[in-house]
Amino acid sequence: MQVLIVDDSRAMRMILKKMMGELGHKDIDEAEHGQAALDHLEEKMPDVALVDWNMPVMGGEEFISTIRGRRDCDQIKVLVVTSESNPRVVYQALKAGADEYAMKPLTTEVIGDKLGMLGLA
Amino acid sequence: MFTDKKTSVVDEAALSEIVTFVWQTLVGTDAEPAATSAPIDDPRIATISIGGPWTAALVVTVSAELARSYAATLLGLEVAELEADDVADALGELANVVGGNVKGMLDDDGASTLTLPIVSPSTPSITGGQLTVSCTFDIEGQPMSWELYERP
């Protein structure tokens, strides 16, 4: 499974990469914001994207809305991973096209459960 | 353990619980509440603001040494392996996650917004902000201070 982690924090990208590795996923790419992720999609299409919500340049909502408007991105499962827990943000994320939502701080077990809910475990 | 300040939307017990939970989950060690808050030498400070019906700034202060060891632990690296921006990035992410959890406590129908964290070596100017909540933790003998400033 190909994974794309989109987060402006290098620390959080490394944490998520480590967690995904513990879950057996090794094909992992990173992007530091939504625009960098869109650029990445021109070269490689992931099976799942772990996407932060608040990012500079292009945040999670705009990134998700953009890829949900592209047919070639239909197969990408989107898991929003953010410190935002407010129901309105969850609603906005799902409305934009996210498939699942997880709140920081995360554990490997939570990520595994969420991937399982997406049929990607 | 805690200061006695003006009643806040978020009280000291709630902030302490959030910090303890986030630290334990991110770092894997315990953040022990500390009785006193001594000045922190050579500080590294991260600030994140919440805007909306309730406006506040959350400030975390640690020593540069603790900031480096925390970043190294978080990233799974040795201190010597850290890149230039790693310490600020890691401290900012800590403020971001705690701030997000604080914001999640608000009963505001999601009207509030969270800024990106700002990391600096000095206390930022919290214009019009009043310190309402503060708590300090002991991290393996070093203090970690959290302060919440609310704006009317």
Side-chain angles (χ1 to χ4, degrees):
Chain A
M1 183 171 76
Q2 294 185 350
V3 180
L4 176 61
I5 296 171
V6 188
D7 198 307
D8 58 314
S9 166
R10 178 173 180 254
M12 190 50 62
R13 293 199 304 271
M14 290 182 74
I15 291 170
L16 290 172
K17 191 172 184 178
K18 181 178 174 218
M19 289 177 173
M20 294 300 286
E22 290 171 352
L23 293 168
H25 306 297
K26 305 296 184 188
D27 191 350
I28 301 170
D29 293 306
E30 303 174 31
E32 60 184 338
H33 48 65
Q35 185 57 57
L38 289 179
D39 294 342
H40 177 84
L41 296 184
E42 299 303 319
E43 299 178 2
K44 192 173 178 183
M45 201 64 73
D47 298 296
V48 63
L50 278 55
V51 181
D52 188 19
W53 192 249
N54 295 318
M55 293 180 286
V57 184
M58 181 187 287
E61 184 172 19
E62 185 177 355
F63 169 71
I64 296 166
S65 296
T66 300
I67 66 169
R68 286 309 182 224
R70 289 174 46 170
R71 281 193 170 182
D72 61 330
C73 296
D74 277 352
Q75 82 285 359
I76 302 175
K77 298 288 188 185
V78 175
L79 171 57
V80 171
V81 178
T82 176
S83 61
E84 295 270 6
S85 66
N86 195 287
R88 179 179 287 189
V89 176
V90 177
Y91 171 75
Q92 288 174 332
L94 297 175
K95 186 180 177 187
D99 297 288
E100 259 298 339
Y101 194 96
M103 188 180 173
K104 299 174 185 173
L106 294 161
T107 63
T108 304
E109 289 72 24
V110 168
I111 290 288
D113 288 346
K114 295 293 182 182
L115 293 177
M117 293 167 74
L118 296 174
L120 298 171
Chain B
M1 175 166 56
F2 302 123
T3 58
D4 181 18
K5 303 282 187 341
K6 170 179 166 284
T7 301
S8 167
V9 172
V10 178
D11 62 19
E12 289 136 341
L15 179 60
S16 178
E17 186 176 338
I18 289 171
V19 171
T20 302
F21 168 67
V22 169
W23 185 269
Q24 221 293 325
T25 306
L26 281 179
V27 183
T29 62
D30 292 330
E32 299 289 346
T36 58
S37 177
I40 296 174
D41 295 330
D42 193 14
R44 293 296 179 271
I45 300 166
T47 304
I48 194 159
S49 296
I50 299 171
W54 183 72
T55 58
L58 184 64
V59 181
V60 56
T61 305
V62 297
S63 67
E65 181 184 354
L66 178 56
R68 285 191 294 270
S69 65
Y70 155 71
T73 301
L74 194 67
L75 295 167
L77 301 172
E78 296 296 326
V79 170
E81 296 176 305
L82 292 172
E83 294 182 7
D85 295 334
D86 285 343
V87 174
D89 178 45
L91 192 60
E93 188 61 20
L94 178 64
N96 177 50
V97 176
V98 172
N101 281 263
V102 168
K103 178 175 170 286
M105 293 180 63
L106 304 178
D107 182 17
D108 64 352
D109 195 29
S112 297
T113 57
L114 197 65
T115 66
L116 294 171
I118 297 171
V119 180
S120 64
S122 60
T123 304
S125 172
I126 314 288
T127 306
Q130 179 183 358
L131 178 63
T132 55
V133 179
S134 65
C135 46
T136 302
F137 298 85
D138 182 290
I139 308 293
E140 298 178 355
Q142 297 205 54
M144 174 174 67
S145 164
W146 288 84
E147 295 179 326
L148 184 68
Y149 294 84
E150 295 184 46
R151 297 184 181 96

